[in-house]
Amino acid sequence: MNVYTIRLERLRDNLRRKRLDGFCLVNVEGSDRSNLYYLTGFAGSFGVLIVTKDQQLFLTDSRYITRAKETVSDYTVRELKGRVTTVATRINRLKLKTIAINGPTTSTWLFHQLRDKLKKTKLVPVAGLVETLRTVKDDSEIAAIERAIRLTDKAFEFILGKVKPGVSERELAWEIEKYIRTHGGDGLAFESIVATGATTAMPHYEPQDREVQKGDFVLFDMGAKVAHYCADLTRTVVVGRATAEQKKIYKIVLEAQERAIRNLRAGLTSKQADAPARETIAKAGYKKNFGHGTGHGLGLDVHEGPRLSPLGKDRLQAGNVVTIEPGIYLPGWGGVRIEDVAVIEEKGCRVLTQAPKKKLIEL
C-alpha cells in the first residue's frame, strides 16, 4: 500500500466521522496545491478531487492531463473540459446527500457557483479535513524537511561571508536565493527576510535598498524548499563588535528559545508549548515586545498546524514538525529572533536545524 492510498483512506475516515458523503477539493492556480499534492503527488496548478466512500476521481485540464495520468495512481483520472464549475455535473451524477468542500481555499464566487448548480446535494464548507492529516509527518516527509534544512543551514553559512558594510538587504536576499537554487533546492520556501539596523524590529519585513552599516543587527529569516517540503530558519547577527545592549537582548531571546525547546514533547497544548519562552521574555521586562506565537507547524507549507501560541487550540503529537522562534522587537532600535525546527517526540523533541546560535555572531 503506497503512501497516497494510506492518506486517501485516512481522509475517508475523517468523512465518516463527520458524517459526510463526499469531499471535493478544487485547486485553481495553486489555491489548494499543498493539499492536492499531499493526497495525490500531483504538483500542478490546476486539479480537482472528488472523493466518496467508494470512488475517487481526479480531474484536470488539457495542460496537465498527460502528466496526471503518469503521476496519479490511486484515482480515476479524467480531463475536465469547460469551466471549473462543470465539476457540479460530475457531483450530480453521484447522487450524494452531502459533499464537503475545503472552505479556506475555495473562493466565495466558486462556492456559490457550485452550490447553485448542484441539484440534490448539499455543499458543506469545512476546514481541516486534509490539514489535520498533514500535521503528523511520516518518515519520508521528515526526511524531505531535513534535506531542506541541511541546505538552509549551508545557505546561512554562505551568506555570512557576504555581509559587510555597504551591501544592501536586497543583494543579500538575492544571494540567498541564488545559493539555494544552485545547490539543489526547488526554490525558496518563502521570500527571505533580510532586515538590518532598526528594521530588525519588524517581525515580517521585506528587504529594501538599505545598506548594511557597522554596528547593525542583521536578521535573516530564510528557508529552502526541497522535494516540495519547507525549511525555516532565523538567525540574528551583528556587524562589528556587539554592544552590551545587543548582547543582553540576544541572551534573553536565546534563553527563552532554549527553555521552550527543553519543554517540548507530545501531549502539550498550544498554550503550554508557548509558555516557557513567553514567561522568560516577560520576566526580563519585555512582555510587550513579543507579540507573535512561539512557533508553528512546518511541512508542505511554511505555516501550518499545530500552533505554539497562547491563542492556539492544538495539542502536540509525536511526528509534528514545528518551529521555535521567540523574539524581542524594540521599535526604533532593532530586534532579535532565533528560530529552529524540531520534530516532536513522545518524551521530548529532536532539533533539526544546526546553524550556530550559542553566541551572538559578530562579523
Side-chain angles (χ1 to χ4, degrees):
M1 186 179 291
N2 69 43
V3 66
Y4 301 111
T5 304
I6 294 169
R7 292 171 184 174
L8 177 59
E9 291 311 308
R10 291 174 64 205
L11 172 62
R12 284 189 167 122
D13 289 341
N14 274 352
L15 291 175
R16 282 190 286 269
R17 278 192 290 269
K18 294 183 178 292
R19 298 181 179 180
L20 294 164
D21 298 322
F23 174 67
C24 180
L25 181 155
V26 183
N27 175 50
V28 180
E29 299 304 324
S31 62
D32 209 357
R33 189 193 300 264
S34 294
N35 283 335
L36 185 67
Y37 177 81
Y38 181 80
L39 291 171
T40 67
F42 178 82
S45 65
F46 179 76
V48 177
L49 294 186
I50 300 173
V51 176
T52 69
K53 65 179 181 180
D54 55 9
Q55 296 184 59
Q56 56 271 3
L57 178 64
F58 181 99
L59 305 170
T60 192
D61 61 24
S62 60
R63 297 173 299 168
Y64 292 117
I65 189 63
T66 300
R67 177 175 164 187
K69 287 180 177 179
E70 293 173 350
T71 303
V72 181
S73 59
D74 282 61
Y75 295 72
T76 300
V77 178
R78 294 286 185 268
E79 183 176 347
L80 181 67
K81 298 179 180 180
R83 298 174 64 86
V84 69
T85 50
T86 59
V87 169
T89 302
R90 298 272 186 173
I91 297 173
N92 282 330
R93 292 174 189 167
L94 297 172
K95 298 180 180 179
L96 305 174
K97 289 183 179 179
T98 60
I99 189 165
I101 193 164
N102 200 19
T105 58
T106 303
S107 70
T108 302
W109 179 87
L110 179 57
F111 175 82
H112 285 290
Q113 287 287 312
L114 291 175
R115 186 188 63 180
D116 292 347
K117 292 177 183 296
L118 293 178
K119 295 178 179 178
K120 295 183 179 180
T121 302
K122 182 179 180 181
L123 189 62
V124 182
V126 298
L129 278 179
V130 183
E131 290 86 349
T132 54
L133 303 180
R134 288 169 47 195
T135 61
V136 176
K137 272 60 180 180
D138 61 32
D139 290 343
S140 67
E141 291 179 287
I142 293 172
I145 293 169
E146 288 185 289
R147 287 172 59 197
I149 285 172
R150 285 196 296 271
L151 178 53
T152 304
D153 282 340
K154 290 178 181 177
F156 175 70
E157 181 182 2
F158 164 80
I159 201 61
L160 290 181
K162 299 290 184 179
V163 179
K164 59 183 179 181
V167 67
S168 74
E169 296 167 349
R170 291 186 197 272
E171 289 172 318
L172 291 171
W174 174 234
E175 291 292 342
I176 292 169
E177 182 168 359
K178 279 198 300 183
Y179 185 91
I180 287 172
R181 289 188 178 276
T182 56
H183 288 77
D186 300 342
L188 299 177
F190 54 93
E191 293 296 321
S192 301
I193 296 172
V194 180
T196 62
T199 68
T200 56
M202 304 179 195
H204 276 197
Y205 172 78
E206 296 179 357
Q208 304 296 318
D209 292 325
R210 186 186 187 280
E211 295 180 350
V212 172
Q213 300 176 31
K214 190 174 182 180
D216 274 353
F217 267 143
V218 181
L219 186 151
F220 295 101
D221 191 340
M222 54 195 282
K225 179 172 279 193
V226 175
H228 303 283
Y229 282 83
C230 300
D232 197 358
L233 172 76
T234 303
R235 292 292 187 266
T236 307
V237 302
V238 69
V239 181
R241 296 288 297 272
T243 66
E245 186 69 7
Q246 286 174 324
K247 291 179 179 179
K248 171 190 167 186
I249 298 299
Y250 188 90
K251 184 178 179 181
I252 295 167
V253 174
L254 180 61
E255 180 185 352
Q257 196 217 28
E258 290 179 335
R259 278 197 63 202
I261 289 172
R262 288 195 298 271
N263 178 63
L264 283 179
R265 62 188 183 279
L268 294 181
T269 64
S270 293
K271 188 173 183 178
Q272 289 170 332
D274 173 87
R278 195 162 304 280
E279 290 169 358
T280 300
I281 290 172
K283 186 177 179 181
Y286 295 96
K287 179 179 180 180
K288 295 182 180 179
N289 304 102
F290 176 32
H292 58 74
T294 295
H296 55 81
L298 179 75
L300 289 169
D301 293 323
V302 72
H303 290 106
E304 52 186 59
R307 297 172 65 190
L308 281 60
S309 165
L311 303 177
K313 297 181 180 180
D314 303 307
R315 188 174 292 275
L316 298 187
Q317 302 176 67
N320 291 153
V321 176
V322 300
T323 68
I324 310 95
E325 49 178 307
I328 292 175
Y329 310 96
L330 303 170
W333 181 80
V336 172
R337 181 166 68 254
I338 304 171
E339 176 184 25
D340 285 294
V341 176
V343 181
I344 301 300
E345 298 176 342
E346 290 295 343
K347 295 183 179 180
C349 72
R350 176 167 63 94
V351 177
L352 303 180
T353 35
Q354 298 298 318
K357 65 175 182 180
K358 290 295 183 182
K359 183 180 178 182
L360 176 57
I361 295 174
E362 298 173 312
L363 300 173

